[in-house]
């Protein structure tokens, strides 16, 4: 469901909400049924909660409202304004605040301050929803309905820029899906260059398998030492060691909006291992993009690069052709693997860097 520019998914049903309201009412009744407390609803968000709460609280009580505002869009502005002050004479009464939601606790702090110079009998706070993970206040919440994770919600009085208050259920902001890409291309096709642009543009983490290997070996990590033991014996590093290194990279970068895998997978077996690992993280490859370029163009590029960098494998045309052959042999089956899943895309890698980036972006934006 869309509200303004954002998408929301169902989070709590009407029944779940009403059960939570009843729980709060029952808990408060246990403590206050023998007196006449005054409930203070915090507008606007709490109007539905207060209404259902009072239907569930069938004991003597009074009710009034205050109005505050601190939210702009999805985040608290930090500035809490009092728009409607306590009007009733509440001196000497037991005051119970009814909040729809407690998030950072700034609004609550302001409320507590508001009541601090009034001589009340007792002061309690009840909130239907409570984001305990992000609550920064010192005041312990006396009663709450449901402890919810730190995700923006709408419905049942709560709004996103004033819309959504009238929903009977509560919806949660849908996190934008991750974009996980595999970048293919022969040596010289521009994978590294394009990965730099894509990672900026889409907040992705670029995982270059070569870099990850060099990092682990250079820093003598457990996996680096293990990999080195194979290399020193002239053996290929087993896939599971490589996969473990990649797993660590993914786990270290959980906040990324996605990953660009570069240099891995190189075989179908590796692609299967990568899929299996991503599945355990609730992730998947969204697209595999091959940067295509004519061999003769690439050879010229690599020879140029070899002159500048001094990399010996970039200076010998035969060696370059061998690397191309290897790519052709191994990537062909991989292409089928991803094509069967409808994830394979091919992009012309010849032209100005900007133009190639634009072609890649066009593919990514269809995902
Ligand atoms: P706090 O001051 O950060 O505790 O935020 C409290 C106020 O922010 C609430 O009374 C709501 O108006 C608003 N708010 C906090 N979290 C959400 C949410 O997830 N959805 C909608 N409004 C929210
Ligand atoms: Mg609000």
């Amino acid at each position: 469901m869309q509200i303004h520019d954002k998408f929301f998914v169902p989070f709590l049903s009407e029944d779940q909400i009403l059960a939570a309201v009843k729980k709060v009412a029952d808990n408060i009744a246990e403590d206050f049924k023998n007196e006449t407390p005054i409930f203070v609803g915090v507008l606007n968000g709490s109007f539905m909660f207060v209404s259902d709460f009072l239907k569930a609280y069938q004991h003597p009580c009074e009710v009034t409202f205050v109005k505050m505002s601190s939210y702009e869009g999805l985040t608290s502005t930090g500035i809490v304004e009092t728009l409607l002050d306590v009007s009733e004479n509440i001196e000497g009464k037991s005051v119970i605040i009814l909040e729809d939601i407690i998030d950072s606790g700034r609004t609550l702090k302001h409320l507590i301050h508001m009541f601090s110079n009034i001589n009340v009998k007792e002061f309690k706070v009840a909130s239907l929803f409570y984001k305990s993970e992000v609550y920064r206040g010192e005041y312990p919440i006396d009663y709450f309905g449901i402890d919810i994770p730190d995700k923006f919600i709408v419905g049942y009085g709560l709004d996103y820029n004033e819309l959504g208050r009238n929903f009977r259920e509560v919806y949660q902001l849908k996190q934008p899906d991750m974009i996980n890409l595999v970048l293919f291309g022969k040596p010289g096709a521009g994978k590294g260059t394009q990965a730099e642009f894509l990672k900026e543009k889409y907040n992705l983490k670029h995982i270059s398998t070569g870099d990850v290997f060099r990092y682990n070996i250079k820093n003598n990590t457990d996996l680096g030492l293990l990999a080195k033991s194979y290399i020193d014996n002239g053996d290929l590093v087993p896939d599971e060691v490589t996969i473990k290194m990649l797993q660590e990279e993914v786990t270290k970068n959980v906040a990324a909006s996605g990953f660009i895998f570069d240099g891995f997978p190189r075989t179908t077996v590796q692609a299967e291992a990568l899929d299996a690992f991503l599945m355990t993280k609730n992730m998947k490859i969204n697209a595999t993009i091959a940067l295509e370029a004519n061999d003769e163009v690439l050879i010229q590029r690599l020879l140029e690069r070899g002159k500048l960098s001094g990399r010996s494998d970039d200076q010998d045309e035969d060696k370059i052709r061998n690397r191309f052959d290897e790519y052709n042999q191994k990537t062909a089956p991989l292409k089928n693997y991803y094509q069967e899943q409808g994830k394979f895309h091919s992009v012309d890698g010849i032209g100005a860097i900007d133009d190639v980036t634009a072609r890649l972006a066009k593919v990514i934006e269809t995902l």
Side-chain angles (χ1 to χ4, degrees):
M1 183 201 34
Q2 184 166 8
I3 303 176
H4 296 297
D5 56 333
K6 300 270 186 278
F7 291 88
F8 291 84
V9 290
F11 176 49
L12 296 168
S13 69
E14 189 173 13
D15 286 349
Q16 285 172 302
I17 298 164
L18 293 178
V21 173
K22 183 170 184 305
K23 179 184 110 178
V24 177
D26 289 348
N27 290 345
I28 295 178
E30 236 168 73
D31 298 341
F32 286 91
K33 60 175 181 283
N34 296 322
E35 48 180 307
T36 306
I38 178 162
F39 293 112
V40 181
V42 184
L43 292 173
N44 289 331
S46 74
F47 69 94
M48 274 206 195
F49 172 43
V50 173
S51 168
D52 285 332
F53 172 88
L54 292 173
K55 289 181 223 160
Y57 189 91
Q58 292 295 307
H59 305 280
C61 64
E62 294 177 38
V63 61
T64 185
F65 290 91
V66 291
K67 181 165 174 165
M68 350 220 77
S69 163
S70 77
Y71 256 62
E72 244 333 293
L74 299 175
T75 44
S76 184
T77 57
I79 305 152
V80 183
E81 267 185 281
T82 306
L83 305 170
L84 176 69
D85 222 328
V86 242
S87 52
E88 270 72 5
N89 180 13
I90 58 164
E91 197 110 350
K93 291 179 183 166
S94 290
V95 172
I96 302 168
I97 301 290
L98 295 181
E99 260 283 27
D100 45 336
I101 187 163
I102 292 177
D103 186 305
S104 68
R106 283 197 205 94
T107 310
L108 178 61
K109 192 172 168 197
H110 192 87
L111 269 167
I112 292 169
H113 181 77
M114 205 162 134
F115 286 88
S116 65
N117 35 20
I118 306 172
N119 212 348
V120 297
K121 181 168 171 236
E122 266 199 272
F123 181 83
K124 297 279 179 195
V125 173
S127 183
L128 177 57
F129 303 119
Y130 175 36
K131 294 184 185 168
S132 67
E133 272 174 50
V134 283
Y135 179 59
R136 292 283 166 271
E138 283 155 26
Y139 186 94
I141 309 306
D142 300 294
Y143 308 95
F144 65 86
I146 308 178
D147 192 335
I148 61 165
D150 179 23
K151 289 214 181 124
F152 191 83
I153 58 171
V154 291
Y156 198 74
L158 293 153
D159 69 305
Y160 168 44
N161 281 347
E162 296 309 323
L163 291 184
R165 293 194 194 275
N166 55 329
F167 302 142
R168 292 162 169 265
E169 313 80 18
V170 166
Y171 296 80
Q172 199 174 51
L173 182 66
K174 188 176 186 299
Q175 298 305 117
D177 291 332
M178 276 189 133
I179 311 174
N180 298 310
L181 306 174
V182 173
L183 214 50
F184 283 141
K186 287 181 184 162
K191 282 182 301 176
T193 309
Q194 292 301 332
E196 283 304 307
F197 286 107
L198 296 179
K199 79 177 203 203
E200 287 301 316
K201 195 170 158 89
Y202 299 104
N203 182 30
L204 306 177
K205 167 78 187 161
H206 177 205
I207 301 189
S208 151
T209 316
D211 291 346
V212 173
F213 258 98
R214 283 186 282 276
Y215 170 86
N216 277 281
I217 291 174
K218 186 168 159 234
N219 291 287
N220 292 321
T221 65
D222 290 346
L223 289 170
L225 291 171
L226 186 59
K228 198 166 176 299
S229 70
Y230 288 98
I231 295 167
D232 289 348
N233 282 330
D235 294 326
L236 283 176
V237 179
D239 287 348
E240 69 242 35
V241 177
T242 313
I243 278 278
K244 280 212 184 99
M245 285 188 196
L246 298 184
Q247 281 180 5
E248 284 191 355
E249 285 302 301
V250 169
T251 313
K252 265 193 251 169
N253 293 285
V254 281
S257 309
F259 294 88
I260 303 173
F261 295 96
D262 166 3
F264 193 93
R266 282 182 197 273
T267 63
T268 311
V269 174
Q270 289 182 346
E272 282 163 357
L274 182 62
D275 280 351
F277 158 61
L278 290 177
M279 195 128 74
T280 66
K281 295 263 169 201
N282 232 338
M283 291 163 57
K284 61 168 192 211
I285 295 296
N286 303 87
T288 294
I289 311 180
L291 272 176
E292 308 281 7
N294 175 288
D295 284 4
E296 303 316 313
V297 175
L298 292 181
I299 288 170
Q300 288 317 311
R301 269 195 203 171
L302 286 173
L303 291 173
E304 279 300 309
R305 188 169 90 176
K307 266 190 242 161
L308 295 174
S309 71
R311 253 179 82 166
S312 62
D313 60 344
D314 282 354
Q315 292 183 35
D316 179 331
E317 197 172 324
D318 286 339
K319 281 190 187 158
I320 295 173
R321 290 200 190 271
N322 280 343
R323 279 149 76 200
F324 287 180
D325 285 344
E326 194 188 303
Y327 177 89
N328 287 335
Q329 274 171 30
K330 295 201 172 147
T331 328
L334 259 186
K335 183 175 166 181
N336 291 340
Y337 178 83
Y338 286 112
Q339 233 159 13
E340 275 165 21
Q341 299 182 12
K343 292 178 183 168
F344 189 83
H345 304 265
S346 137
V347 160
D348 179 4
I350 301 292
I353 292 175
D354 286 1
D355 293 339
V356 178
T357 310
R359 288 174 208 147
L360 288 165
K362 214 171 138 193
V363 171
I364 294 170
E365 265 139 46
T366 62
L367 299 176

